[in-house]
Amino acid sequence: GLFVTDYFTRTPRKLSPFRSFASIELFHFHIPEDTVIAVWNLITFKEQGGTFGDQCPDRSITVYFRSGAPSVINPLHTHFPRDTAVPGSFALTLTWTLPNRTTGVFNVTSPLPGDWFLAAHLPKDEGKISVKRCPVLTVLLVQGLYEECQYLFQPQLIVQRLVNIAVLYPGYITEQSMAPHNRSCLYKVFVPSYTSRVLVEVLRCRGAEGCPLWLRVRAKAPPLHNSTALDCREHAPCQLALDLPFWQHWYYVLVEKHPGVLGTVSFQVTVQLTDCSRPSLARPPFLPSSASMNMPHSFGSVGGLALGDSPSPTSPNGTKHPVPIPTALPTGERCWPIRPTLRNELDTFSVHFYIFFGPNVSVPPDRPAVFVINLLPVLDSGGVLNLELRLNVSSLRGENVTVFGCLNHEVPLASGDNASVTCETESLAGFLLSVNATASLSRLRIPYPQTGSWYLSLRSLCATEHGFEPCINVTAEVYLRAYLSPCINDCGIYGQCKLLRTNNYLYAACECKAGWNGWGCTDNAEAFSYGFQLLSTLLLCLSNVMFVPPVAIAVRSHYLLEAAVYIFTMFFSTFYHACDQPGIVVFCIMEYDVLQFCDFLGSLMSVWVTVIAMARLQPVVKQASAGSERAGMKGTHPDGCPAAPQVLYLLGAMLLSMALQMDRHGLWNLLGPSLFALGIMAVAWTARTIRRRHCYPPTWKRWAFYLCPGALIAAAAVLLYAFVETEENYFYIHSIWHLLIAGSVGFLLPPRAKPSGRLGPLPRRKGCGYQLCVNEQEELGLVDPAVASINSICTS
């Protein structure tokens, strides 16, 4: 045949350590029909600081593959919620072959057409906090100086598909002659709804060694080596029958030679479809018009023409219209009326399926009740399909009745007594539910269900000594509820259901907290107790009381603006941590985003005002202003009252607010204003040192008892926060961080300047509405006492 190659690629994405399904990277592909091979090229490379990360460690990368819906993965081996069905998927672990790049290949022969999903992630981090919940300037500095290793993953898909595969029409014979150089012939036939059986037959097979052919049949994709097969040399006639085929799908028929056969083999192939709505007859041959040749539903429908009513079609080239082969179904094996459900969309992944004349369903004793639930392609595969059965015990009239429910994808499984009990056949497997007088409630949850038609078959059977038998004159009543939800039980009280997006595909996943894990945040193996949650909340909140001493020192030293900033920081840090707790001990007085913004702003403003206060700018500006006046220069405030500190306080508040609004977790947006404040302090201290020709502050007591201890406490807090704090000890270490930072402020805040008793206030000058006294002979000997009388100025 003729092959066509298609190529698909996706943008590289940064992988994250696995914490929950919300931390994985999901990739969506679409494989076309008639694909014989799909090859995924998995490219992974490292980056560090915009360059190749040759020094980055080799971390294993796990990739999951699944057809029809995203993979339901569980790399941490947590417990799933009760009544949850876990669909399978294939996992692949990539190993590094080069220092900064590796490539993996994953081949799928004859893949199922439609949507395919790839999920990739890094191993779980061992406790280190990667996103700081309370980012402080110094910690951001440590993080910014270290370039993080990034692991990027890019999948590429190459598919090879066949073009112009021969189509078999039910009831027609196709003649074929296989040349010596050909090994096989591939056909496909469309199976419409309400088909209970597919019969493929090879006729008039002639070859050098009888009929040296293999007959293989598979649904949706070309057959594989393990598909349903039949050796035509050992079976005469060569007939392969498939019961309960998938509805509204293509079935592929492969006829291939035995190994070693060199001669030409001629044969005929025909397909018969049995319509379960007419169990005594085969589906009549029907050839659609040329305008509808590419429409699969045109090959037949329920209630089609019977054999005697069918028109005489014009036989296409290479086919003959044979005499129909009568195929009767076994006793009791026929299809039953299927009741549709009404789809009511409430929100994204929030869909209720209502039953006409429901939700109470009557299950008669002589036949099953069958319902269909249609999930839209792609749109509904990112949620959870929920099914609930509740038996009305009063309707049993004292009989030992059990109602079995069988949920199957793409075909109802409601034939035979055993099928209703086991819900599986040789080629099909569904989900079994059962309710009786003892257990009257049954639930089923299917995360990330495959889209298409889901069929629920309900059948009532009575328990006897010999097993289950059909009931007599007992109609059971069942309450049926089917709905689609984003997450299982909305992730409970210890989780948050998040709506995620990858390109144009939406899906939902739980993000757990307080040590809870699992797909629905129901695994409490590592969960925090209520006492631990209460203790951690109290530690994080009450540790902010350490700001009370700095506030008292600031008020005593007449630093009223600084005291107001410390009170603001203490208040919002307390209530932010009370609202930021992962458990149920949570108290929010405002919206979380408002509390977070105020906490970050207060923390950075505390650093800003403390450093500006340490710079002691007002005396420097006033002395510079006085010198300017003596020189006849106009460099002061219009009223003669310099206000440089107030201007810097206001400027810092505006700049920090802008930086937090741009990027609350950014490094340089927050680091810039703080470095600017430190630069101002350095310039002010250097100016004093040069002017006085003596190191500032000049006294050893100020360095030994205040500046050095404060700097050491602040440095210890930074190191503790940056290198010791983990997820496990966050509540303890971060509380100690609050204590140390608040304590360092109390040491670093300078004392207020006291006026000297030797000089009285000068007469008030005109043009200023208040009197301002400044004394450069600061507490604890910040200036040389010998020049105190010269530098002491009292002006207004």
Side-chain angles (χ1 to χ4, degrees):
L2 178 62
F3 291 94
V4 174
T5 302
D6 296 325
Y7 176 80
F8 308 94
T9 186
R10 295 293 180 265
T11 304
R13 295 187 203 161
K14 176 186 174 183
L15 298 182
S16 302
F18 183 85
R19 298 173 57 89
S20 66
F21 197 86
S23 60
I24 63 101
E25 289 296 330
L26 191 66
F27 300 88
H28 179 208
F29 290 91
H30 184 83
I31 292 183
E33 291 184 343
D34 304 336
T35 298
V36 294
I37 189 170
V39 179
W40 271 281
N41 190 29
L42 309 175
I43 303 174
T44 308
F45 49 94
K46 308 173 187 176
E47 281 189 359
Q48 187 177 21
T51 60
F52 288 111
D54 295 338
Q55 305 302 323
C56 294
D58 293 343
R59 306 187 65 183
S60 61
I61 297 173
T62 308
V63 186
Y64 300 85
F65 299 81
R66 189 187 174 201
S67 171
S71 301
V72 181
I73 64 176
N74 187 23
L76 303 182
H77 307 289
T78 57
H79 296 289
F80 281 89
R82 293 184 57 186
D83 307 319
T84 301
V86 183
S89 60
F90 184 82
L92 178 68
T93 302
L94 301 180
T95 58
W96 294 91
T97 56
L98 296 175
N100 54 29
R101 183 183 179 93
T102 185
T103 303
V105 178
F106 180 68
N107 299 336
V108 180
T109 304
S110 297
L112 296 177
D115 300 306
W116 279 74
F117 294 88
L118 274 66
H121 65 82
L122 295 173
K124 180 184 177 182
D125 273 345
E126 296 299 330
K128 186 62 181 177
I129 295 180
S130 58
V131 179
K132 303 294 182 183
R133 286 191 276 183
C134 188
V136 183
L137 177 65
T138 49
V139 178
L140 288 174
L141 174 61
V142 174
Q143 292 179 346
L145 296 178
Y146 174 74
E147 295 291 346
E148 182 184 3
C149 288
Q150 297 184 358
Y151 299 81
L152 303 180
F153 177 75
Q154 180 183 22
Q156 300 173 345
L157 174 63
I158 303 174
V159 298
Q160 193 175 53
R161 56 188 177 90
L162 278 169
V163 181
N164 298 328
I165 298 179
V167 177
L168 298 177
Y169 299 98
Y172 288 87
I173 292 178
T174 298
E175 294 184 353
Q176 185 71 46
S177 179
M178 197 180 304
H181 61 277
N182 289 338
R183 302 301 308 168
S184 62
C185 293
L186 183 64
Y187 310 90
K188 64 180 181 179
V189 58
F190 188 79
V191 177
S193 299
Y194 296 93
T195 300
S196 61
R197 193 183 192 196
V198 176
L199 178 66
V200 182
E201 185 174 11
V202 175
L203 306 172
R204 298 182 183 180
C205 178
R206 295 184 298 272
E209 302 176 2
C211 187
L213 298 177
W214 277 97
L215 179 61
R216 304 182 188 274
V217 181
R218 185 190 177 198
K220 305 178 185 179
L224 299 170
H225 66 280
N226 58 350
S227 301
T228 304
L230 184 68
D231 190 352
C232 292
R233 292 188 300 185
E234 300 177 358
H235 297 82
C238 187
Q239 295 180 345
L240 186 59
L242 301 176
D243 294 325
L244 296 174
F246 294 115
W247 293 354
Q248 297 292 321
H249 284 286
W250 289 100
Y251 268 73
Y252 290 80
V253 179
L254 179 65
V255 181
E256 61 179 352
K257 292 180 182 179
H258 278 273
V261 177
L262 302 177
T264 301
V265 180
S266 61
F267 58 90
Q268 296 177 344
V269 61
T270 182
V271 178
Q272 300 290 337
L273 304 182
T274 302
D275 190 340
C276 63
S277 62
R278 303 172 182 269
S280 61
L281 299 174
R283 183 175 294 276
F286 179 73
L287 183 66
S289 63
S290 58
S292 61
M293 286 286 287
N294 294 327
M295 299 177 63
H297 65 270
S298 64
F299 289 119
S301 59
V302 178
L305 298 173
L307 286 178
D309 302 329
S310 60
S312 300
T314 303
S315 300
N317 295 332
T319 63
K320 295 183 179 180
H321 185 193
V323 177
I325 302 174
T327 55
L329 289 175
T331 303
E333 190 168 315
R334 58 194 177 104
C335 56
W336 304 99
I338 297 178
R339 296 174 59 178
T341 56
L342 178 64
R343 179 185 178 93
N344 184 16
E345 297 187 7
L346 304 178
D347 202 347
T348 304
F349 301 130
S350 182
V351 182
H352 283 230
F353 300 95
Y354 295 101
I355 301 172
F356 292 99
F357 310 106
N360 293 324
V361 177
S362 297
V363 183
D366 57 338
R367 61 183 178 85
V370 185
F371 304 87
V372 60
I373 300 172
N374 292 313
L375 300 184
L376 299 180
V378 180
L379 297 178
D380 292 342
S381 62
V384 179
L385 179 61
N386 302 268
L387 192 64
E388 180 179 321
L389 290 180
R390 189 186 300 272
L391 178 63
N392 185 1
V393 181
S394 60
S395 65
L396 304 182
R397 296 186 299 180
E399 297 289 338
N400 190 6
V401 179
T402 301
V403 177
F404 292 94
C406 188
L407 183 66
N408 284 82
H409 188 226
E410 297 177 336
V411 60
L413 187 57
S415 59
D417 296 340
N418 294 332
S420 297
V421 175
T422 61
C423 197
E424 62 181 18
T425 62
E426 295 180 357
S427 58
L428 294 176
F431 302 98
L432 179 65
L433 301 90
S434 63
V435 288
N436 51 34
T438 304
S440 60
L441 178 63
S442 180
R443 292 188 178 94
L444 175 66
R445 303 182 181 96
I446 305 177
Y448 297 159
Q450 292 180 310
T451 56
S453 298
W454 287 83
Y455 295 92
L456 176 64
S457 304
L458 300 177
R459 185 163 188 181
S460 61
L461 297 174
C462 290
T464 63
E465 298 179 355
H466 306 287
F468 289 100
E469 296 181 356
C471 299
I472 301 176
N473 298 327
V474 178
T475 300
E477 186 176 283
V478 177
Y479 170 82
L480 174 61
R481 184 185 179 204
Y483 61 98
L484 193 69
S485 63
C487 301
I488 298 177
N489 291 338
D490 200 23
C491 302
I493 60 175
Y494 291 103
Q496 181 182 8
C497 186
K498 288 192 171 183
L499 186 63
L500 307 173
R501 176 180 176 181
T502 171
N503 293 334
N504 293 325
Y505 180 75
L506 293 176
Y507 60 102
C510 288
E511 191 171 73
C512 306
K513 54 188 179 181
W516 290 73
N517 294 303
W519 197 262
C521 300
T522 56
D523 190 335
N524 60 353
E526 302 177 359
F528 302 155
S529 63
Y530 179 81
F532 181 82
Q533 296 179 42
L534 181 61
L535 176 62
S536 62
T537 304
L538 292 177
L539 283 177
L540 288 171
C541 294
L542 297 182
S543 60
N544 288 283
V545 179
M546 189 62 184
F547 273 97
V548 172
V551 170
I553 294 174
V555 172
R556 179 176 176 274
S557 303
H558 290 188
Y559 290 107
L560 300 183
L561 188 145
E562 288 80 356
V565 172
Y566 299 153
I567 294 175
F568 180 90
T569 303
M570 178 177 63
F571 178 84
F572 280 102
S573 179
T574 300
F575 287 100
Y576 166 66
H577 283 291
C579 186
D580 187 50
Q581 294 308 300
I584 60 175
V585 186
V586 178
F587 179 71
C588 299
I589 62 173
M590 300 179 186
E591 292 185 0
Y592 177 83
D593 189 69
V594 176
L595 291 173
Q596 187 186 64
F597 177 84
C598 293
D599 175 58
F600 291 4
L601 179 62
S603 301
L604 295 172
M605 279 298 299
S606 298
V607 177
W608 176 269
V609 298
T610 302
V611 176
I612 295 299
M614 293 174 64
R616 305 300 295 265
L617 292 177
Q618 196 170 32
V620 176
V621 175
K622 288 178 66 69
Q623 289 181 1
S625 301
S628 298
E629 289 184 356
R630 287 192 296 268
M633 299 176 62
K634 303 296 182 179
T636 64
H637 189 275
D639 295 330
C641 300
Q646 289 79 2
V647 172
L648 290 178
Y649 288 150
L650 183 60
L651 179 63
M654 293 187 295
L655 290 178
L656 291 174
S657 299
M658 179 195 68
L660 289 173
Q661 188 65 25
M662 292 174 59
D663 185 4
R664 196 164 297 179
H665 297 277
L667 171 63
W668 293 107
N669 288 340
L670 306 180
L671 192 60
S674 298
L675 289 179
F676 181 64
L678 291 174
I680 293 176
M681 185 190 73
V683 170
W685 284 17
T686 303
R688 285 194 179 95
T689 300
I690 295 175
R691 186 179 67 252
R692 298 170 182 177
R693 298 179 181 179
H694 195 281
C695 181
Y696 181 85
T699 61
W700 65 270
K701 293 182 179 180
R702 185 67 189 171
W703 285 99
F705 296 110
Y706 293 93
L707 294 180
C708 290
L712 290 177
I713 294 174
V718 171
L719 296 177
L720 194 69
Y721 190 91
F723 300 106
V724 179
E725 186 173 299
T726 63
E727 288 285 357
E728 287 75 15
N729 60 20
Y730 171 78
F731 308 107
Y732 309 111
I733 300 300
H734 199 77
S735 300
I736 298 175
W737 153 265
H738 286 165
L739 300 176
L740 294 178
I741 287 297
S744 66
V745 171
F747 280 92
L748 296 177
L749 192 66
R752 72 183 173 107
K754 294 182 179 180
S756 174
R758 290 173 294 178
L759 293 177
L762 296 177
R764 176 181 294 185
R765 294 180 56 190
K766 296 182 179 181
C768 186
Y770 61 92
Q771 183 178 4
L772 180 64
C773 294
V774 179
N775 191 337
E776 289 256 340
Q777 183 179 0
E778 298 171 355
E779 189 177 8
L780 294 179
L782 294 182
V783 297
D784 190 357
V787 295
S789 60
I790 300 176
N791 291 335
S792 298
I793 301 173
C794 185
T795 184
S796 61

